[in-house]
Amino acid sequence: MSYDENQPSARPRRVGRGNLTIAIAALVPTALAGWLVWRAMSGPEGNEPPKVLPLPSRQTAGKPGPAPSPSPRASYPAATSAASPSPSKGNSSGPLAGKVVVVDPGHNPGNFRHTSEINKLVDIGTNRKECDTTGTATNDGYTEAEFTFDVSQRLRALLEKQGATVKFTHANDRPFGPCVDERARIGNKSGAAAVVSVHADGSAVGNRGFHVILPALVKGGAADTAKIVGPSRDLGERIAGKFVRATGSAPSNYVGGGTGLDVRKDLGGLNLSTVPKVFIECGNMRDPKDAALLKSSSWRQKAAQGIADGIGSYLLR
């Protein structure tokens, strides 16, 4: 998933050293805070943020463009467990027994072949927005949809081992979608204790790192996030801290002012949620260094572990 520069929340933000240290102490877990303090003391000078560039190969909102070519491309082994959109029960004696978690693999491999369908507008509460997008891809054609489904399967296996009941929003068996409003409804109807939407970003070369997207306080139409803003922030902060520890990856250097957290009000999947929910952008598929990590099976396992650890920390708080 990449950013529309017309959205205020999409613009990179950078804060001064003093303010950043204060924000870190208040917002992020110890593991993430330690990294950020070091970054604040040794990072680049100046307050001018880098520009997030649009990608011509990205299917952006309402602007169809050429899809990244899937060939030639390397073969990236996927997780072996099969996914199912119906709940899958875990170890009944595990610490997360009785907890329902919804995992939302971002995008769908078929979206590239159904651009007219995914460009249809749906109600996201505050306005209308495209059903979905194609997602992004690495330069050699490893798509975001492939990445998100692989990490989601790994994540499910880890959560089930701890006893959680895991539900997917889709099992890669649909021609396209589901749309963002349907993804939100699946989480709501399941009564999930937590929902995590797995993504990878598509930004400019040099923009690196992960970030967790949190719901803003919005109210309009079917959208009312008042009850989930606080819990979702707690969930997001815990995932960010555990993700640093598990993967060794740094928080984004282009979104979130170095905190690894970004608050947005333009995402229907968050606006329409009535249960705690966050998105995680695991890295930038368009940066060669980040792409090398995202294409690594062992790194994807670490990414899944970090997300699982964050969810577990939140559910057992």
Side-chain angles (χ1 to χ4, degrees):
M1 184 170 71
S2 59
Y3 284 95
D4 179 354
E5 289 186 295
N6 295 321
Q7 292 293 342
S9 59
R11 298 184 182 277
R13 301 185 297 279
R14 199 178 289 271
V15 297
R17 291 181 177 177
N19 290 338
L20 177 57
T21 303
I22 295 171
I24 290 164
L27 293 178
V28 295
T30 302
L32 181 58
W35 186 93
L36 292 173
V37 170
W38 173 86
R39 178 70 174 175
M41 297 306 296
S42 60
E45 296 287 342
N47 295 318
E48 183 64 26
K51 186 177 180 62
V52 179
L53 301 177
L55 297 171
S57 59
R58 169 75 159 86
Q59 176 71 36
T60 54
K63 299 179 181 179
S69 173
S71 179
R73 58 180 291 271
S75 176
Y76 306 107
T80 57
S81 59
S84 170
S86 59
S88 178
K89 294 183 179 180
N91 174 13
S92 60
S93 62
L96 301 183
K99 303 290 187 180
V100 176
V101 177
V102 170
V103 176
D104 177 28
H107 310 289
N108 182 318
N111 283 359
F112 287 113
R113 297 184 294 274
H114 294 273
T115 54
S116 61
E117 290 91 343
I118 66 171
N119 280 328
K120 290 182 179 179
L121 301 182
V122 298
D123 183 7
I124 66 167
T126 53
N127 57 10
R128 296 180 67 80
K129 198 170 181 179
E130 288 70 21
C131 159
D132 201 359
T133 67
T134 61
T136 187
T138 62
N139 290 332
D140 63 350
Y142 181 48
T143 67
E144 182 181 359
E146 291 177 89
F147 169 81
T148 63
F149 194 66
D150 179 271
V151 172
S152 294
Q153 290 180 89
R154 297 171 187 270
L155 173 58
R156 183 182 68 173
L158 291 167
L159 291 172
E160 287 180 342
K161 189 175 182 180
Q162 298 183 68
T165 297
V166 180
K167 182 179 177 67
F168 273 33
T169 56
H170 70 96
N172 265 12
D173 56 353
R174 302 172 53 133
F176 65 90
C179 295
V180 295
D181 57 338
E182 183 181 352
R183 291 173 188 260
R185 287 195 296 271
I186 291 170
N188 297 344
K189 291 178 180 179
S190 71
V195 182
V196 176
S197 188
V198 180
H199 287 266
D201 208 0
S203 189
V205 174
N207 289 346
R208 296 197 61 197
F210 77 92
H211 62 278
V212 179
I213 304 175
L214 313 176
L217 180 60
V218 296
K219 185 175 178 62
D224 185 354
T225 62
K227 293 182 179 179
I228 70 163
V229 167
S232 297
R233 174 170 284 275
D234 187 14
L235 172 63
E237 289 173 354
R238 290 171 186 269
I239 290 175
K242 298 296 185 180
F243 199 84
V244 167
R245 181 173 297 178
T247 65
S249 292
S252 169
N253 64 4
Y254 63 102
V255 172
T259 66
L261 304 172
D262 186 34
V263 178
R264 291 181 63 174
K265 61 182 180 181
D266 62 312
L267 298 177
L270 296 180
N271 288 359
L272 299 176
S273 183
T274 58
V275 293
K277 182 175 182 178
V278 300
F279 282 47
I280 181 166
E281 301 279 0
C282 296
N284 176 17
M285 300 195 93
R286 289 296 182 167
D287 178 84
K289 293 181 179 179
D290 266 14
L293 297 176
L294 298 169
K295 292 186 291 185
S296 165
S297 178
S298 61
W299 188 90
R300 293 197 299 272
Q301 186 64 33
K302 293 177 183 178
Q305 186 68 62
I307 299 170
D309 290 346
I311 294 172
S313 172
Y314 171 77
L315 296 180
L316 296 174
R317 68 196 187 284

PDB file of all heavy atoms in Angstrom, residues 29-32 210 239-249 302 306 309:
ATOM      1  N   PRO A  29       6.656   1.250  23.247  1.00  0.00           N
ATOM      2  CA  PRO A  29       7.233   0.325  24.222  1.00  0.00           C
ATOM      3  C   PRO A  29       8.728   0.496  24.326  1.00  0.00           C
ATOM      4  O   PRO A  29       9.368   1.143  23.509  1.00  0.00           O
ATOM      5  CB  PRO A  29       6.874  -1.052  23.650  1.00  0.00           C
ATOM      6  CG  PRO A  29       5.770  -0.796  22.690  1.00  0.00           C
ATOM      7  CD  PRO A  29       5.998   0.583  22.157  1.00  0.00           C
ATOM      8  N   THR A  30       9.295  -0.116  25.349  1.00  0.00           N
ATOM      9  CA  THR A  30      10.705   0.062  25.657  1.00  0.00           C
ATOM     10  C   THR A  30      11.603  -0.293  24.486  1.00  0.00           C
ATOM     11  O   THR A  30      12.543   0.430  24.169  1.00  0.00           O
ATOM     12  CB  THR A  30      11.088  -0.807  26.867  1.00  0.00           C
ATOM     13  OG1 THR A  30      10.258  -0.427  27.958  1.00  0.00           O
ATOM     14  CG2 THR A  30      12.547  -0.607  27.242  1.00  0.00           C
ATOM     15  N   ALA A  31      11.327  -1.398  23.808  1.00  0.00           N
ATOM     16  CA  ALA A  31      12.200  -1.809  22.708  1.00  0.00           C
ATOM     17  C   ALA A  31      12.240  -0.772  21.614  1.00  0.00           C
ATOM     18  O   ALA A  31      13.291  -0.434  21.083  1.00  0.00           O
ATOM     19  CB  ALA A  31      11.715  -3.146  22.137  1.00  0.00           C
ATOM     20  N   LEU A  32      11.074  -0.234  21.230  1.00  0.00           N
ATOM     21  CA  LEU A  32      11.023   0.775  20.188  1.00  0.00           C
ATOM     22  C   LEU A  32      11.587   2.084  20.676  1.00  0.00           C
ATOM     23  O   LEU A  32      12.307   2.768  19.966  1.00  0.00           O
ATOM     24  CB  LEU A  32       9.559   0.961  19.747  1.00  0.00           C
ATOM     25  CG  LEU A  32       9.311   1.975  18.625  1.00  0.00           C
ATOM     26  CD1 LEU A  32      10.106   1.589  17.393  1.00  0.00           C
ATOM     27  CD2 LEU A  32       7.831   2.029  18.300  1.00  0.00           C
ATOM     28  N   PHE A 210       9.429   0.081   8.784  1.00  0.00           N
ATOM     29  CA  PHE A 210       8.022  -0.284   8.952  1.00  0.00           C
ATOM     30  C   PHE A 210       7.277   0.831   9.670  1.00  0.00           C
ATOM     31  O   PHE A 210       7.873   1.690  10.320  1.00  0.00           O
ATOM     32  CB  PHE A 210       7.912  -1.570   9.784  1.00  0.00           C
ATOM     33  CG  PHE A 210       8.120  -1.334  11.261  1.00  0.00           C
ATOM     34  CD1 PHE A 210       7.038  -1.081  12.108  1.00  0.00           C
ATOM     35  CD2 PHE A 210       9.395  -1.323  11.812  1.00  0.00           C
ATOM     36  CE1 PHE A 210       7.224  -0.834  13.453  1.00  0.00           C
ATOM     37  CE2 PHE A 210       9.593  -1.085  13.162  1.00  0.00           C
ATOM     38  CZ  PHE A 210       8.509  -0.837  13.990  1.00  0.00           C
ATOM     39  N   ILE A 239       2.609  -3.824  18.972  1.00  0.00           N
ATOM     40  CA  ILE A 239       3.103  -4.478  17.762  1.00  0.00           C
ATOM     41  C   ILE A 239       4.386  -3.806  17.277  1.00  0.00           C
ATOM     42  O   ILE A 239       5.350  -4.485  16.897  1.00  0.00           O
ATOM     43  CB  ILE A 239       2.024  -4.457  16.662  1.00  0.00           C
ATOM     44  CG1 ILE A 239       0.881  -5.403  17.031  1.00  0.00           C
ATOM     45  CG2 ILE A 239       2.622  -4.839  15.304  1.00  0.00           C
ATOM     46  CD1 ILE A 239      -0.285  -5.371  16.070  1.00  0.00           C
ATOM     47  N   ALA A 240       4.425  -2.476  17.300  1.00  0.00           N
ATOM     48  CA  ALA A 240       5.620  -1.762  16.842  1.00  0.00           C
ATOM     49  C   ALA A 240       6.845  -2.154  17.668  1.00  0.00           C
ATOM     50  O   ALA A 240       7.926  -2.432  17.127  1.00  0.00           O
ATOM     51  CB  ALA A 240       5.386  -0.258  16.917  1.00  0.00           C
ATOM     52  N   GLY A 241       6.696  -2.181  18.980  1.00  0.00           N
ATOM     53  CA  GLY A 241       7.820  -2.531  19.845  1.00  0.00           C
ATOM     54  C   GLY A 241       8.294  -3.952  19.634  1.00  0.00           C
ATOM     55  O   GLY A 241       9.497  -4.223  19.549  1.00  0.00           O
ATOM     56  N   LYS A 242       7.364  -4.894  19.511  1.00  0.00           N
ATOM     57  CA  LYS A 242       7.729  -6.293  19.318  1.00  0.00           C
ATOM     58  C   LYS A 242       8.295  -6.531  17.917  1.00  0.00           C
ATOM     59  O   LYS A 242       9.153  -7.403  17.730  1.00  0.00           O
ATOM     60  CB  LYS A 242       6.510  -7.185  19.547  1.00  0.00           C
ATOM     61  CG  LYS A 242       5.926  -7.118  20.954  1.00  0.00           C
ATOM     62  CD  LYS A 242       6.897  -7.641  22.005  1.00  0.00           C
ATOM     63  CE  LYS A 242       6.247  -7.689  23.380  1.00  0.00           C
ATOM     64  NZ  LYS A 242       7.163  -8.191  24.431  1.00  0.00           N
ATOM     65  N   PHE A 243       7.831  -5.756  16.942  1.00  0.00           N
ATOM     66  CA  PHE A 243       8.325  -5.903  15.571  1.00  0.00           C
ATOM     67  C   PHE A 243       9.796  -5.506  15.493  1.00  0.00           C
ATOM     68  O   PHE A 243      10.591  -6.168  14.809  1.00  0.00           O
ATOM     69  CB  PHE A 243       7.486  -5.044  14.628  1.00  0.00           C
ATOM     70  CG  PHE A 243       7.589  -5.427  13.175  1.00  0.00           C
ATOM     71  CD1 PHE A 243       6.807  -6.444  12.664  1.00  0.00           C
ATOM     72  CD2 PHE A 243       8.453  -4.759  12.321  1.00  0.00           C
ATOM     73  CE1 PHE A 243       6.883  -6.801  11.321  1.00  0.00           C
ATOM     74  CE2 PHE A 243       8.545  -5.103  10.978  1.00  0.00           C
ATOM     75  CZ  PHE A 243       7.755  -6.128  10.479  1.00  0.00           C
ATOM     76  N   VAL A 244      10.174  -4.438  16.174  1.00  0.00           N
ATOM     77  CA  VAL A 244      11.575  -4.030  16.235  1.00  0.00           C
ATOM     78  C   VAL A 244      12.424  -5.159  16.806  1.00  0.00           C
ATOM     79  O   VAL A 244      13.474  -5.525  16.265  1.00  0.00           O
ATOM     80  CB  VAL A 244      11.746  -2.761  17.097  1.00  0.00           C
ATOM     81  CG1 VAL A 244      13.217  -2.519  17.418  1.00  0.00           C
ATOM     82  CG2 VAL A 244      11.177  -1.544  16.385  1.00  0.00           C
ATOM     83  N   ARG A 245      11.947  -5.718  17.891  1.00  0.00           N
ATOM     84  CA  ARG A 245      12.718  -6.746  18.591  1.00  0.00           C
ATOM     85  C   ARG A 245      12.857  -8.005  17.744  1.00  0.00           C
ATOM     86  O   ARG A 245      13.933  -8.613  17.695  1.00  0.00           O
ATOM     87  CB  ARG A 245      12.053  -7.075  19.923  1.00  0.00           C
ATOM     88  CG  ARG A 245      12.783  -8.119  20.745  1.00  0.00           C
ATOM     89  CD  ARG A 245      12.154  -8.261  22.120  1.00  0.00           C
ATOM     90  NE  ARG A 245      12.257  -7.036  22.897  1.00  0.00           N
ATOM     91  CZ  ARG A 245      11.744  -6.883  24.114  1.00  0.00           C
ATOM     92  NH1 ARG A 245      11.079  -7.882  24.685  1.00  0.00           N
ATOM     93  NH2 ARG A 245      11.884  -5.745  24.753  1.00  0.00           N
ATOM     94  N   ALA A 246      11.788  -8.416  17.071  1.00  0.00           N
ATOM     95  CA  ALA A 246      11.807  -9.671  16.321  1.00  0.00           C
ATOM     96  C   ALA A 246      12.566  -9.571  15.007  1.00  0.00           C
ATOM     97  O   ALA A 246      13.249 -10.517  14.603  1.00  0.00           O
ATOM     98  CB  ALA A 246      10.375 -10.142  16.053  1.00  0.00           C
ATOM     99  N   THR A 247      12.447  -8.439  14.325  1.00  0.00           N
ATOM    100  CA  THR A 247      13.016  -8.316  12.981  1.00  0.00           C
ATOM    101  C   THR A 247      14.320  -7.536  12.930  1.00  0.00           C
ATOM    102  O   THR A 247      15.095  -7.684  11.983  1.00  0.00           O
ATOM    103  CB  THR A 247      12.028  -7.612  12.035  1.00  0.00           C
ATOM    104  OG1 THR A 247      11.836  -6.247  12.476  1.00  0.00           O
ATOM    105  CG2 THR A 247      10.681  -8.334  12.002  1.00  0.00           C
ATOM    106  N   GLY A 248      14.543  -6.664  13.908  1.00  0.00           N
ATOM    107  CA  GLY A 248      15.692  -5.779  13.854  1.00  0.00           C
ATOM    108  C   GLY A 248      15.488  -4.605  12.919  1.00  0.00           C
ATOM    109  O   GLY A 248      16.383  -3.776  12.739  1.00  0.00           O
ATOM    110  N   SER A 249      14.312  -4.503  12.311  1.00  0.00           N
ATOM    111  CA  SER A 249      14.021  -3.401  11.397  1.00  0.00           C
ATOM    112  C   SER A 249      13.767  -2.116  12.171  1.00  0.00           C
ATOM    113  O   SER A 249      13.238  -2.132  13.284  1.00  0.00           O
ATOM    114  CB  SER A 249      12.794  -3.726  10.537  1.00  0.00           C
ATOM    115  OG  SER A 249      13.065  -4.775   9.646  1.00  0.00           O
ATOM    116  N   LYS A 302      10.158 -13.841  10.861  1.00  0.00           N
ATOM    117  CA  LYS A 302      10.431 -12.906  11.955  1.00  0.00           C
ATOM    118  C   LYS A 302       9.358 -11.824  12.022  1.00  0.00           C
ATOM    119  O   LYS A 302       8.934 -11.415  13.110  1.00  0.00           O
ATOM    120  CB  LYS A 302      11.805 -12.272  11.775  1.00  0.00           C
ATOM    121  CG  LYS A 302      12.974 -13.226  11.925  1.00  0.00           C
ATOM    122  CD  LYS A 302      14.294 -12.514  11.646  1.00  0.00           C
ATOM    123  CE  LYS A 302      15.466 -13.479  11.730  1.00  0.00           C
ATOM    124  NZ  LYS A 302      16.756 -12.798  11.401  1.00  0.00           N
ATOM    125  N   GLY A 306       7.000 -11.019  15.196  1.00  0.00           N
ATOM    126  CA  GLY A 306       6.862  -9.710  15.839  1.00  0.00           C
ATOM    127  C   GLY A 306       5.414  -9.280  15.970  1.00  0.00           C
ATOM    128  O   GLY A 306       4.988  -8.769  17.014  1.00  0.00           O
ATOM    129  N   ASP A 309       3.719 -11.492  18.594  1.00  0.00           N
ATOM    130  CA  ASP A 309       4.126 -11.102  19.946  1.00  0.00           C
ATOM    131  C   ASP A 309       3.398  -9.848  20.395  1.00  0.00           C
ATOM    132  O   ASP A 309       2.993  -9.718  21.560  1.00  0.00           O
ATOM    133  CB  ASP A 309       5.641 -10.869  20.000  1.00  0.00           C
ATOM    134  CG  ASP A 309       6.438 -12.150  19.858  1.00  0.00           C
ATOM    135  OD1 ASP A 309       5.844 -13.249  19.983  1.00  0.00           O
ATOM    136  OD2 ASP A 309       7.663 -12.063  19.626  1.00  0.00           O
TER     137      ASP A 309
END
